[in-house]
Amino acid sequence: MKELEFLHKDFFSPKKYKQMVKSYQEKDDPTGWFDKVYESAQGDYTKVFWADLEPSAYLIKWLKQNHIKKANKKACVIGCGVGDDAQALNDFGFDVIAFDISKKAIDLCKNRYPNSKVDFTVANLFDFPKDWFENFDVVYECNTIQVLLGEYRKEAKKAMCSLIAKDGYILVSCRSAKEKDEKKDEIPKPLLKSEIDEFKTTYKLKEKSFLAYDDNQTPSIPHFFAVYQK
């Protein structure tokens, strides 16, 4: 486990993390490294370096302001990490499927929430079960697209849209960039406005709300939080 110590929250090295991700990207293996992040936590979900350990405040605000009056309403959380957002959707009355490509992440979720009604499961966004197609009233995507490059970003957006039921919503949270070449070599690579706009320009969803904001880190990091409807 010593070789993964640089991914542990207490010993995190941004430089080594970025080198690792880049090495997988160069092998055209865009998701092969995710499990290592969760493995490095050694069974302690609080030691996952990117885990906020609380649901998104923007997700909670949207759920409070938008009551979906439907029996057996369903939600899907993409790349669920250690499960905060999935559990929040469950608390708001949704039947939730929360998936991650990392088995270690799903193990952490199940250990963290042993009595949860959320279906925490291992799955691949690029090859998800057929019965998930257009099956969810709410799809929540947080920070998945930004860790991908090139065509994988477009393929991810296409797959995400195919999860949304008719009249359903997708909520998209990500880091943002203002200029075309800004942070072009960053890991994660922020989304341009034109990239997130593809949810409406390419995939023909209706933009219901759009927020550009700076988070509360020091220094602050610009983000987008957008809601689209099929």
Side-chain angles (χ1 to χ4, degrees):
M1 194 60 64
K2 186 74 173 177
E3 71 273 12
L4 298 180
E5 189 175 75
F6 70 93
L7 294 171
H8 189 281
K9 188 173 185 177
D10 294 344
F11 313 102
F12 180 62
S13 168
K15 181 179 179 179
K16 290 183 178 180
Y17 160 65
K18 291 176 182 180
Q19 288 173 340
M20 178 193 71
V21 175
K22 188 174 181 181
S23 71
Y24 277 86
Q25 291 172 342
E26 290 172 346
K27 293 185 293 186
D28 196 29
D29 184 7
T31 61
W33 54 272
F34 281 95
D35 215 42
K36 295 183 182 298
V37 173
Y38 297 100
E39 184 180 358
S40 73
Q42 300 183 56
D44 183 353
Y45 68 88
T46 69
K47 300 306 180 182
V48 176
F49 78 86
W50 58 33
D52 292 330
L53 306 181
E54 61 183 6
S56 163
Y58 297 95
L59 169 62
I60 297 298
K61 181 179 180 180
W62 187 86
L63 289 169
K64 287 180 176 178
Q65 295 177 346
N66 296 270
H67 300 285
I68 297 178
K69 297 177 181 178
K70 178 180 178 181
N72 303 316
K73 56 189 180 182
K74 299 178 182 179
C76 177
V77 179
I78 297 165
C80 63
V82 297
D84 303 273
D85 299 311
Q87 193 59 40
L89 281 156
N90 175 80
D91 293 342
F92 275 85
F94 287 86
D95 293 331
V96 182
I97 290 178
F99 73 92
D100 204 290
I101 199 168
S102 167
K103 182 182 183 301
K104 296 290 185 181
I106 296 304
D107 289 343
L108 288 173
C109 289
K110 290 179 177 180
N111 288 333
R112 183 182 183 187
Y113 299 108
N115 301 313
S116 178
K117 294 180 181 178
V118 175
D119 181 2
F120 290 111
T121 188
V122 179
N124 187 335
L125 176 63
F126 299 121
D127 187 25
F128 58 76
K130 290 183 173 61
D131 59 354
W132 290 6
F133 182 75
E134 295 187 343
N135 192 45
F136 299 99
D137 303 295
V138 171
V139 174
Y140 185 62
E141 145 58 4
C142 181
N143 299 340
T144 306
I145 301 167
Q146 68 188 34
V147 296
L148 301 171
L149 290 181
E151 288 302 309
Y152 287 109
R153 291 161 84 94
K154 293 181 180 294
E155 288 300 313
K157 283 175 274 188
K158 180 180 179 181
M160 291 171 185
C161 291
S162 69
L163 292 166
I164 312 167
K166 185 178 182 299
D167 299 321
Y169 300 87
I170 183 168
L171 285 60
V172 183
S173 179
C174 61
R175 295 187 181 203
S176 65
K178 295 178 181 178
E179 303 296 335
K180 188 167 185 178
D181 291 326
E182 181 185 3
K183 301 177 182 176
K184 65 179 181 179
D185 296 320
E186 270 291 288
I187 294 174
K189 184 180 177 182
L191 270 69
L192 303 170
K193 180 68 162 56
S194 59
E195 285 188 284
I196 196 169
D197 278 348
E198 288 179 355
F199 281 102
K200 59 181 182 178
T201 59
T202 300
Y203 303 108
K204 307 305 179 185
L205 304 183
K206 303 173 193 171
E207 185 180 280
K208 304 300 291 184
S209 64
F210 184 87
L211 175 67
Y213 70 97
D214 293 338
D215 69 11
N216 58 8
Q217 296 184 56
T218 304
S220 61
I221 297 173
H223 281 71
F224 294 141
F225 186 84
V227 179
Y228 305 95
Q229 185 178 26
K230 183 171 278 189

